[in-house]
Amino acid sequence: QRPASTSMARKKVAIEYIASDPTRKATARKRDMGIKKKAGELSVLCGVDTCYIMYREGGASPPEVYPSVPEAMRVIDRFRSMPELDQCKKKMDGEDYVRERIAKIQEQLRRAQRDNRQLETTLLLHDTLVGRRQGLAGVAIEQLVSLGWMAESYVKKVSDCIAYRNMQQQQHAGVQAEPPHYGATVADMEAPPHQQL
């Protein structure tokens, strides 16, 4: 029997300034290699021009350029030759990124709150129907409105289902009660063709 794995999930890194110099430099080196790899994959997979420039801390050493200085200059010149409106169309800085992330999180929060309200209303309706709750005293007006709407919706669904079942039964009973129709009697079928007129 193999021993159970003792490896733990990777801890999520907090996006904040790294105070330790060795750790910060090592992180910069690893992230630099990762971004270069992603830029190359994006260029190959999607057939687009990509370049990447990173100035190291302090600015003493030359910047890291991908894929090469001439190729990066070509991409930058192409970008600068575009109209200003096209340059800014899909540009995103740090503030834009944070604003977009906040908007997405707010939308997720609204969906979660809506789902929670629906679940709470469903639970309240169930407890009321099975007798776990005596009356609706103390329930907020908004929840009472939601409860009434949900109850009406369920009643309508049940009524539609009953009406559909009744219609099916009536149609089935009508087919069974309808007397059979024959195109000709047995005597007619046995008679010669000139006597069946």
Side-chain angles (χ1 to χ4, degrees), residues 3-91:
S5 176
T6 58
S7 61
M8 300 179 61
R10 293 182 59 184
K11 184 179 179 181
K12 188 175 181 180
V13 179
I15 305 301
E16 58 185 13
Y17 182 75
I18 301 175
S20 172
D21 290 343
T23 304
R24 185 173 63 254
K25 292 179 181 179
T27 301
R29 184 171 59 255
K30 292 179 181 179
R31 295 296 178 99
D32 173 53
M33 295 172 58
I35 293 176
K36 288 178 180 178
K37 180 180 178 181
K38 292 297 182 182
E41 292 175 352
L42 180 62
S43 178
V44 174
L45 293 174
C46 303
V48 297
D49 290 334
T50 61
C51 70
Y52 161 66
I53 302 174
M54 184 186 75
Y55 285 90
R56 295 191 178 275
E57 186 178 10
S61 58
E64 293 289 335
V65 181
Y66 176 85
S68 64
V69 174
E71 184 65 18
M73 291 301 301
R74 184 188 67 81
V75 176
I76 294 173
D77 291 340
R78 178 183 174 187
F79 174 77
R80 289 176 175 175
S81 64
M82 298 172 60
E84 185 176 356
L85 181 60
D86 293 338
Q87 292 183 18
C88 301
K89 186 178 297 183
K90 294 185 179 180
K91 185 185 295 184

